[in-house]
Structures are given as structure tokens and as C-alpha cells.
Amino acid sequence: SVQTLLTRQVSFDSALVTFEARIATLKTLKDELVKHSSGSTAAIQQSEAAVAARWKKLQQASDTRKSKLLEAQQMYQRIEDMFLEFAQRASQFNSWFDNAV
């Protein structure tokens, strides 16, 4: 169900928060390596930039998925509300019809 997927997404988002500290540590390590390195500075910066870009893409994908799940949840809630309203109106009609006949 959508609720199950949404619960899993919230857990995934919590795990992302945990990894965010590691990404920050990676940037700090990159800065230290660049500071003390002479020949491989470009490669170090390129590697860190690639990791940062993938991290940002992952966060964006996670946000997009969560938004879509929330939209689906709202849609299913609207459908459920419509079924309930129909059932109430059908009950009223059946009562009226039974009394009219």
C-alpha cells in the first residue's frame, strides 16, 4: 500500500540524514588532501565533486519520490472519501425508496 511505501521512504530519509555527516566529512578530507597534495589535486577535487553530485541527485530523487507518494496517498484518501459519501447517499436513497414503496 501507499502507506507502507511512505513509511519505508521516511526510514530511507532518516538513513540519508545519517550519511549526510559522512558526506561533510568527505568534503573536509578532500580539503585536507588538496591542501597537502601537490600532484593529484585535480583528481581529488573531481572525485569529491562526483560524489557530491551523486549525493545531491540521490537527495532530489528521494524528495521527488516522497512527494509522489504523498500525492498518491491524498488521491487514495479522496477516493475513499468519495466511496464513503456514495455509501451514505445510497443508504439515504434506499431508505427513501423503501418508505416510498
Side-chain angles (χ1 to χ4, degrees):
S1 78
V2 175
Q3 186 60 42
T4 302
L5 293 174
L6 198 52
T7 301
R8 288 181 184 174
Q9 184 64 37
V10 168
S11 296
F12 182 77
D13 289 343
S14 296
L16 283 182
V17 170
T18 302
F19 281 104
E20 197 161 7
R22 291 181 181 181
I23 297 296
T25 302
L26 182 66
K27 183 178 179 350
T28 303
L29 290 173
K30 183 258 326 179
D31 292 340
E32 288 294 317
L33 282 172
V34 167
K35 185 174 153 182
H36 298 296
S37 177
S38 58
S40 57
T41 300
I44 293 168
Q45 290 176 330
Q46 186 178 16
S47 294
E48 190 273 335
V51 169
R54 282 183 266 163
W55 175 252
K56 186 173 183 176
K57 186 176 179 181
L58 178 63
Q59 287 177 315
Q60 289 171 341
S62 178
D63 290 343
T64 300
R65 184 170 189 262
K66 186 174 182 179
S67 294
K68 287 182 179 182
L69 286 171
L70 288 170
E71 287 174 13
Q73 184 183 37
Q74 289 174 348
M75 180 186 70
Y76 284 122
Q77 183 61 47
R78 282 187 32 226
I79 291 170
E80 194 173 312
D81 292 345
M82 291 169 98
F83 276 133
L84 180 61
E85 182 181 351
F86 174 78
Q88 290 171 343
R89 288 184 181 195
S91 176
Q92 291 172 354
F93 174 78
N94 285 337
S95 293
W96 172 82
F97 188 76
D98 287 341
N99 290 332
V101 176

